[in-house]
Amino acid sequence: MTNVPSRVSIIVPVYNVENYLTKCLDSLVKQSLPDIEILVVNDGSKDSSEQIIKEFAQKYPDKIKAFTKENGGLSDARNFGIDKATGDYIGFVDSDDYVTETMFEEMLLLAEKHQAKMVICNIQKVDENGKIIQKLTQLPNMPEKILLGDYFSVFSDISYFACNKLFKKELFNQKRFKKGIHFEDIQLIPQLLLECETIAQTQNFHYQYLERTDSITKTHTEKGIDMLKAVSDVEKIFSKSPYSHKKEELKNFQIFEGVYSFLAYLAFVKKEEIFYSMSDQLALFMKERQIKIQDILKYSRFGKNYLLSLPLKKKIFYLLFFAGQKRLIRKLI
């Protein structure tokens, strides 16, 4: 590939995804935006992913930049791609997902139209046959151009996925994904948002998130504690940001990412010892931040009570937890 800088660099970390990679890369080489580079980072795959990458690199030499490195995990592969990227903007696509043909053209257009350092699109969860399972609207009832100072509720309402966003490259001048942790998106993306005065969004469902049959039953372990550590890292940056006086939004962020999202993970932890240990750490997290039960029960997202909008089983799980009935929860799950 020639070394002419591109407007958008798309980073695709790859690890043992031979069954999904072709569909992902197909959706990227067919982007309506011509001025892109696709940095495919093989993070030590042991299956035929490397062969698939080579075939795409040979077929699309002006678009695909292929790299191979020792396995270092998702954060390490993304950081590797950031270091190699030449674009003015950076996007991330997971190698088992795929995107619409116009995703990066529209998001670049919005970034430049509104001078936004971050652009967000909606997500669709799909099964392995491409059937839509769930539509995940990111910022309903919000304008296309969002001034963070005017709409700071975005900080606690947004879903912090890396993959449905386009970032101005300069946001990564001093920041990278934290290595060796789970929930690296929750740790980094809020920090990048705090660097933005303006963000933009499209209501189009450009990102297709694959709900893999082999991931639904994945093991949930004590690694879930990384979620609470991620929130703690964000709190430190928040205290030094121009928005440090926005205490209510910070508390809502702590409740959404540190309580509700953590409990959603905890619900799938099978080992009792780990379950109770993680429950205790959540209780400590809440105590240290003076998050009271009534704060959690009253928490609203996009103007709706979050607890009331949950499915019944999850609602019962959360209420039992807040009531301190952890033994009953174990029977429930």
Side-chain angles (χ1 to χ4, degrees), residues 160-226:
Y160 283 111
F161 306 111
C163 292
N164 69 323
K165 298 174 178 67
L166 185 69
F167 304 91
K168 191 84 171 158
K169 190 186 180 188
E170 66 190 47
L171 289 173
F172 295 96
N173 285 351
Q174 306 295 328
K175 295 188 184 296
R176 290 290 187 274
F177 289 95
K178 195 169 184 177
K179 296 179 190 176
I181 64 164
H182 284 44
F183 310 104
E184 56 281 302
D185 289 3
I186 296 173
Q187 196 271 346
L188 178 65
I189 310 304
Q191 296 186 40
L192 302 184
L193 183 63
L194 291 170
E195 298 285 328
C196 301
E197 291 181 14
T198 305
I199 64 172
Q201 68 148 341
T202 167
Q203 285 295 314
N204 286 323
F205 289 84
H206 283 306
Y207 196 85
Q208 316 301 303
Y209 173 87
L210 177 64
E211 186 83 75
R212 285 164 57 175
T213 50
D214 60 350
S215 67
I216 293 170
T217 56
K218 66 186 176 186
T219 306
H220 286 63
T221 68
E222 60 270 18
K223 278 286 186 182
I225 293 299
D226 285 352

Side-chain angles (χ1 to χ4, degrees), residues 271-294:
K271 292 186 178 179
E272 284 200 20
E273 184 182 337
I274 295 172
F275 176 88
Y276 291 123
S277 170
M278 290 175 67
S279 297
D280 290 343
Q281 292 193 59
L282 176 57
L284 180 62
F285 173 91
M286 290 168 58
K287 183 180 178 183
E288 287 175 345
R289 287 153 185 82
Q290 297 182 315
I291 299 172
K292 298 179 174 62
I293 300 300
Q294 54 264 40

Side-chain angles (χ1 to χ4, degrees), residues 93-147:
V93 174
D94 286 346
S95 50
D96 47 0
D97 299 333
Y98 54 98
V99 302
T100 65
E101 198 172 301
T102 57
M103 174 170 168
F104 288 102
E105 181 178 19
E106 184 185 7
M107 293 176 84
L108 176 62
L109 185 72
L110 289 171
E112 301 204 315
K113 176 183 175 183
H114 300 301
Q115 294 298 293
K117 291 185 181 178
M118 186 185 296
V119 183
I120 301 165
C121 73
N122 289 334
I123 299 172
Q124 287 182 157
K125 276 190 181 182
V126 296
D127 66 15
E128 297 194 12
N129 297 315
K131 181 183 175 185
I132 298 167
I133 300 170
Q134 186 181 9
K135 285 181 173 283
L136 301 172
T137 303
Q138 299 301 290
L139 293 171
N141 308 317
M142 285 270 180
E144 184 180 273
K145 178 182 181 180
I146 299 170
L147 297 172

